[in-house]
CSV table of all heavy atoms in Angstrom, one decimal:
chain,number,residue,atom,x,y,z
A,17,TRP,N,-35.2,22.0,-265.8
A,17,TRP,CA,-35.4,23.4,-265.4
A,17,TRP,C,-36.0,23.6,-264.0
A,17,TRP,O,-35.7,24.7,-263.4
A,17,TRP,CB,-36.2,24.3,-266.3
A,17,TRP,CG,-35.4,24.7,-267.5
A,17,TRP,CD1,-35.6,24.3,-268.8
A,17,TRP,CD2,-34.3,25.6,-267.6
A,17,TRP,NE1,-34.7,24.9,-269.7
A,17,TRP,CE2,-33.9,25.7,-268.9
A,17,TRP,CE3,-33.6,26.3,-266.6
A,17,TRP,CZ2,-32.8,26.5,-269.3
A,17,TRP,CZ3,-32.5,27.2,-267.0
A,17,TRP,CH2,-32.2,27.2,-268.3
A,18,PRO,N,-36.7,22.7,-263.3
A,18,PRO,CA,-37.3,23.1,-262.1
A,18,PRO,C,-36.2,23.6,-261.1
A,18,PRO,O,-35.2,22.9,-260.8
A,18,PRO,CB,-37.9,21.8,-261.6
A,18,PRO,CG,-38.3,21.0,-262.8
A,18,PRO,CD,-37.1,21.4,-263.8
A,19,GLY,N,-36.5,24.7,-260.5
A,19,GLY,CA,-35.6,25.3,-259.4
A,19,GLY,C,-35.6,24.4,-258.2
A,19,GLY,O,-36.7,23.9,-257.8
A,20,GLY,N,-34.4,24.2,-257.6
A,20,GLY,CA,-34.4,23.5,-256.4
A,20,GLY,C,-34.3,22.0,-256.6
A,20,GLY,O,-34.2,21.2,-255.6
A,21,LEU,N,-34.5,21.5,-257.8
A,21,LEU,CA,-34.5,20.1,-258.1
A,21,LEU,C,-33.1,19.5,-258.1
A,21,LEU,O,-32.8,18.4,-257.7
A,21,LEU,CB,-35.1,19.9,-259.5
A,21,LEU,CG,-35.2,18.4,-260.0
A,21,LEU,CD1,-36.0,17.5,-259.1
A,21,LEU,CD2,-35.8,18.4,-261.4
A,22,GLY,N,-32.1,20.3,-258.5
A,22,GLY,CA,-30.7,19.8,-258.8
A,22,GLY,C,-30.1,19.2,-257.5
A,22,GLY,O,-29.6,18.1,-257.5
A,23,LYS,N,-30.2,19.9,-256.4
A,23,LYS,CA,-29.5,19.4,-255.2
A,23,LYS,C,-30.3,19.6,-253.9
A,23,LYS,O,-30.0,19.0,-252.9
A,23,LYS,CB,-28.2,20.2,-255.0
A,23,LYS,CG,-27.1,20.0,-256.1
A,23,LYS,CD,-26.6,18.5,-256.0
A,23,LYS,CE,-25.6,18.2,-257.1
A,23,LYS,NZ,-25.2,16.7,-257.0
A,24,THR,N,-31.4,20.5,-253.9
A,24,THR,CA,-32.0,20.9,-252.7
A,24,THR,C,-33.2,20.0,-252.3
A,24,THR,O,-33.3,19.6,-251.1
A,24,THR,CB,-32.5,22.3,-252.9
A,24,THR,OG1,-31.4,23.2,-253.3
A,24,THR,CG2,-33.1,22.9,-251.5
A,25,SER,N,-34.1,19.6,-253.2
A,25,SER,CA,-35.4,19.0,-252.9
A,25,SER,C,-35.3,17.5,-252.6
A,25,SER,O,-34.4,16.8,-253.2
A,25,SER,CB,-36.4,19.3,-254.0
A,25,SER,OG,-36.5,20.7,-254.2
A,26,ASN,N,-36.2,17.1,-251.8
A,26,ASN,CA,-36.3,15.6,-251.6
A,26,ASN,C,-37.7,15.1,-252.1
A,26,ASN,O,-37.9,13.9,-252.1
A,26,ASN,CB,-36.1,15.2,-250.2
A,26,ASN,CG,-37.0,15.9,-249.2
A,26,ASN,OD1,-38.1,16.3,-249.5
A,26,ASN,ND2,-36.5,16.1,-247.9
A,27,HIS,N,-38.5,16.0,-252.5
A,27,HIS,CA,-39.8,15.6,-253.2
A,27,HIS,C,-40.1,16.5,-254.4
A,27,HIS,O,-39.5,17.6,-254.4
A,27,HIS,CB,-41.0,15.7,-252.2
A,27,HIS,CG,-41.1,14.6,-251.2
A,27,HIS,ND1,-40.2,14.4,-250.2
A,27,HIS,CD2,-42.1,13.6,-251.1
A,27,HIS,CE1,-40.5,13.3,-249.5
A,27,HIS,NE2,-41.7,12.8,-250.0
A,28,ALA,N,-40.9,16.1,-255.3
A,28,ALA,CA,-41.3,16.9,-256.4
A,28,ALA,C,-42.7,16.6,-256.7
A,28,ALA,O,-43.2,15.5,-256.6
A,28,ALA,CB,-40.4,16.6,-257.6
A,29,ILE,N,-43.5,17.7,-257.0
A,29,ILE,CA,-44.8,17.6,-257.6
A,29,ILE,C,-44.5,17.4,-259.1
A,29,ILE,O,-44.0,18.4,-259.7
A,29,ILE,CB,-45.7,18.7,-257.3
A,29,ILE,CG1,-46.2,18.7,-255.8
A,29,ILE,CG2,-47.0,18.7,-258.2
A,29,ILE,CD1,-47.0,19.9,-255.4
A,30,VAL,N,-44.8,16.3,-259.6
A,30,VAL,CA,-44.5,16.0,-261.0
A,30,VAL,C,-45.8,15.9,-261.8
A,30,VAL,O,-46.8,15.3,-261.5
A,30,VAL,CB,-43.9,14.6,-261.2
A,30,VAL,CG1,-43.6,14.2,-262.6
A,30,VAL,CG2,-42.5,14.6,-260.4
A,31,LEU,N,-45.8,16.7,-262.9
A,31,LEU,CA,-46.9,16.7,-263.9
A,31,LEU,C,-46.7,15.6,-264.9
A,31,LEU,O,-45.6,15.5,-265.5
A,31,LEU,CB,-47.1,18.0,-264.6
A,31,LEU,CG,-48.3,18.9,-264.0
A,31,LEU,CD1,-47.9,19.3,-262.6
A,31,LEU,CD2,-48.6,20.0,-264.8
A,32,ALA,N,-47.6,14.7,-265.0
A,32,ALA,CA,-47.5,13.5,-265.9
A,32,ALA,C,-48.8,13.1,-266.5
A,32,ALA,O,-49.9,13.4,-266.0
A,32,ALA,CB,-46.9,12.3,-265.1
A,33,GLN,N,-48.7,12.4,-267.7
A,33,GLN,CA,-49.9,11.9,-268.3
A,33,GLN,C,-50.4,10.7,-267.6
A,33,GLN,O,-49.7,9.7,-267.4
A,33,GLN,CB,-49.5,11.5,-269.8
A,33,GLN,CG,-48.9,12.6,-270.6
A,33,GLN,CD,-49.9,13.6,-271.0
A,33,GLN,OE1,-51.1,13.5,-270.8
A,33,GLN,NE2,-49.5,14.7,-271.7
A,34,LEU,N,-51.7,10.8,-267.1
A,34,LEU,CA,-52.3,9.7,-266.3
A,34,LEU,C,-52.9,8.6,-267.2
A,34,LEU,O,-53.7,8.9,-268.0
A,34,LEU,CB,-53.4,10.3,-265.4
A,34,LEU,CG,-54.3,9.3,-264.8
A,34,LEU,CD1,-53.6,8.4,-263.8
A,34,LEU,CD2,-55.4,10.0,-264.0
A,35,TYR,N,-52.4,7.4,-267.0
A,35,TYR,CA,-52.9,6.2,-267.7
A,35,TYR,C,-53.6,5.3,-266.6
A,35,TYR,O,-53.0,4.9,-265.7
A,35,TYR,CB,-51.8,5.5,-268.4
A,35,TYR,CG,-51.4,6.1,-269.7
A,35,TYR,CD1,-50.4,7.1,-269.6
A,35,TYR,CD2,-51.9,5.8,-270.9
A,35,TYR,CE1,-49.9,7.7,-270.8
A,35,TYR,CE2,-51.5,6.4,-272.1
A,35,TYR,CZ,-50.4,7.4,-272.0
A,35,TYR,OH,-50.0,8.0,-273.2
A,36,THR,N,-54.9,5.0,-266.9
A,36,THR,CA,-55.5,4.0,-266.0
A,36,THR,C,-56.6,3.3,-266.9
A,36,THR,O,-57.2,3.9,-267.7
A,36,THR,CB,-56.2,4.7,-264.8
A,36,THR,OG1,-56.8,3.7,-264.0
A,36,THR,CG2,-57.2,5.7,-265.2
A,37,GLN,N,-56.7,2.0,-266.6
A,37,GLN,CA,-57.6,1.1,-267.4
A,37,GLN,C,-57.4,1.3,-268.9
A,37,GLN,O,-58.4,1.3,-269.6
A,37,GLN,CB,-59.0,1.4,-267.0
A,37,GLN,CG,-59.3,1.1,-265.5
A,37,GLN,CD,-60.7,1.3,-265.1
A,37,GLN,OE1,-61.4,2.1,-265.7
A,37,GLN,NE2,-61.2,0.7,-264.0
A,38,GLY,N,-56.2,1.4,-269.3
A,38,GLY,CA,-55.8,1.5,-270.7
A,38,GLY,C,-56.1,2.8,-271.4
A,38,GLY,O,-56.0,3.0,-272.6
A,39,THR,N,-56.5,3.8,-270.6
A,39,THR,CA,-56.9,5.1,-271.2
A,39,THR,C,-56.0,6.2,-270.6
A,39,THR,O,-55.7,6.3,-269.4
A,39,THR,CB,-58.4,5.5,-270.9
A,39,THR,OG1,-59.2,4.4,-271.5
A,39,THR,CG2,-58.8,6.8,-271.6
A,40,CYS,N,-55.6,7.2,-271.5
A,40,CYS,CA,-54.9,8.3,-271.1
A,40,CYS,C,-55.9,9.5,-270.7
A,40,CYS,O,-56.7,9.8,-271.6
A,40,CYS,CB,-53.9,8.8,-272.1
A,40,CYS,SG,-53.0,10.3,-271.7
A,41,HIS,N,-55.8,10.0,-269.5
A,41,HIS,CA,-56.7,11.1,-269.1
A,41,HIS,C,-56.0,12.4,-269.0
A,41,HIS,O,-56.5,13.3,-268.3
A,41,HIS,CB,-57.3,10.7,-267.7
A,41,HIS,CG,-58.2,9.5,-267.8
A,41,HIS,ND1,-59.5,9.5,-268.3
A,41,HIS,CD2,-58.0,8.2,-267.5
A,41,HIS,CE1,-60.0,8.3,-268.3
A,41,HIS,NE2,-59.1,7.5,-267.8
A,42,GLY,N,-54.8,12.6,-269.6
A,42,GLY,CA,-54.2,13.9,-269.7
A,42,GLY,C,-53.4,14.1,-268.4
A,42,GLY,O,-53.1,13.2,-267.6
A,43,LEU,N,-52.9,15.4,-268.3
A,43,LEU,CA,-52.0,15.7,-267.2
A,43,LEU,C,-52.6,15.8,-265.8
A,43,LEU,O,-53.7,16.3,-265.7
A,43,LEU,CB,-51.4,17.1,-267.5
A,43,LEU,CG,-50.3,17.1,-268.6
A,43,LEU,CD1,-49.8,18.6,-268.8
A,43,LEU,CD2,-49.1,16.3,-268.2
A,44,HIS,N,-51.9,15.2,-264.9
A,44,HIS,CA,-52.3,15.3,-263.5
A,44,HIS,C,-51.0,15.5,-262.6
A,44,HIS,O,-49.9,15.2,-263.1
A,44,HIS,CB,-53.1,14.1,-263.1
A,44,HIS,CG,-54.5,14.0,-263.7
A,44,HIS,ND1,-54.6,13.7,-265.0
A,44,HIS,CD2,-55.7,14.2,-263.2
A,44,HIS,CE1,-55.9,13.7,-265.3
A,44,HIS,NE2,-56.6,14.0,-264.2
A,45,ALA,N,-51.2,15.9,-261.4
A,45,ALA,CA,-50.1,16.2,-260.5
A,45,ALA,C,-49.9,15.0,-259.5
A,45,ALA,O,-50.9,14.6,-258.9
A,45,ALA,CB,-50.3,17.5,-259.8
A,46,PHE,N,-48.7,14.6,-259.3
A,46,PHE,CA,-48.3,13.5,-258.4
A,46,PHE,C,-47.1,14.0,-257.5
A,46,PHE,O,-46.2,14.7,-258.0
A,46,PHE,CB,-47.9,12.3,-259.3
A,46,PHE,CG,-48.9,11.8,-260.2
A,46,PHE,CD1,-49.0,12.4,-261.5
A,46,PHE,CD2,-49.8,10.8,-259.8
A,46,PHE,CE1,-50.0,12.0,-262.4
A,46,PHE,CE2,-50.7,10.3,-260.7
A,46,PHE,CZ,-50.9,10.9,-262.0
A,47,ILE,N,-47.2,13.5,-256.3
A,47,ILE,CA,-46.1,13.8,-255.3
A,47,ILE,C,-45.2,12.6,-255.4
A,47,ILE,O,-45.5,11.5,-255.0
A,47,ILE,CB,-46.7,14.0,-253.9
A,47,ILE,CG1,-47.8,15.1,-253.9
A,47,ILE,CG2,-45.6,14.3,-252.9
A,47,ILE,CD1,-48.5,15.1,-252.6
A,48,VAL,N,-43.9,12.9,-255.8
A,48,VAL,CA,-43.0,11.9,-256.0
A,48,VAL,C,-41.7,12.1,-255.1
A,48,VAL,O,-41.1,13.1,-255.2
A,48,VAL,CB,-42.5,11.8,-257.5
A,48,VAL,CG1,-41.4,10.7,-257.7
A,48,VAL,CG2,-43.6,11.7,-258.4
A,49,PRO,N,-41.5,11.2,-254.1
A,49,PRO,CA,-40.2,11.3,-253.4
A,49,PRO,C,-39.0,11.0,-254.3
A,49,PRO,O,-39.0,10.1,-255.1
A,49,PRO,CB,-40.3,10.1,-252.4
A,49,PRO,CG,-41.8,9.7,-252.4
A,49,PRO,CD,-42.3,10.0,-253.7
A,50,ILE,N,-38.0,11.9,-254.3
A,50,ILE,CA,-36.9,11.7,-255.2
A,50,ILE,C,-35.6,11.5,-254.5
A,50,ILE,O,-34.6,11.0,-255.1
A,50,ILE,CB,-36.7,13.0,-256.1
A,50,ILE,CG1,-36.6,14.3,-255.3
A,50,ILE,CG2,-37.9,13.1,-257.1
A,50,ILE,CD1,-36.3,15.5,-256.2
A,51,ARG,N,-35.5,11.8,-253.2
A,51,ARG,CA,-34.3,11.6,-252.4
A,51,ARG,C,-34.6,11.1,-251.0
A,51,ARG,O,-35.7,11.3,-250.5
A,51,ARG,CB,-33.5,12.9,-252.2
A,51,ARG,CG,-32.8,13.4,-253.5
A,51,ARG,CD,-31.9,14.7,-253.2
A,51,ARG,NE,-31.1,15.0,-254.3
A,51,ARG,CZ,-31.4,15.9,-255.3
A,51,ARG,NH1,-32.6,16.5,-255.2
A,51,ARG,NH2,-30.6,16.2,-256.3
A,52,SER,N,-33.7,10.3,-250.5
A,52,SER,CA,-33.9,9.7,-249.1
A,52,SER,C,-34.0,10.9,-248.1
A,52,SER,O,-33.3,11.9,-248.1
A,52,SER,CB,-32.7,8.9,-248.8
A,52,SER,OG,-32.7,8.6,-247.4
A,53,MET,N,-35.0,10.7,-247.2
A,53,MET,CA,-35.2,11.7,-246.2
A,53,MET,C,-34.1,11.7,-245.1
A,53,MET,O,-33.9,12.6,-244.4
A,53,MET,CB,-36.6,11.4,-245.5
A,53,MET,CG,-37.8,11.5,-246.4
A,53,MET,SD,-38.3,13.2,-246.7
A,53,MET,CE,-39.3,13.5,-245.3
A,54,SER,N,-33.3,10.6,-245.1
A,54,SER,CA,-32.3,10.5,-244.1
A,54,SER,C,-30.9,10.8,-244.7
A,54,SER,O,-30.1,11.5,-244.0
A,54,SER,CB,-32.2,9.1,-243.5
A,54,SER,OG,-32.1,8.1,-244.5
A,55,THR,N,-30.6,10.3,-245.9
A,55,THR,CA,-29.3,10.6,-246.5
A,55,THR,C,-29.2,11.6,-247.6
A,55,THR,O,-28.2,12.1,-248.0
A,55,THR,CB,-28.7,9.3,-247.0
A,55,THR,OG1,-29.5,8.9,-248.2
A,55,THR,CG2,-28.7,8.1,-246.0
């Protein structure tokens, strides 16, 4: 459903469950490159 995700965006702020040192710390926001900046 995110708007602009289908064809427009090259990055997304992704909400995901954070796991570190074997523990889940719940939802956090991550900047994820999804498309090449050149192509």
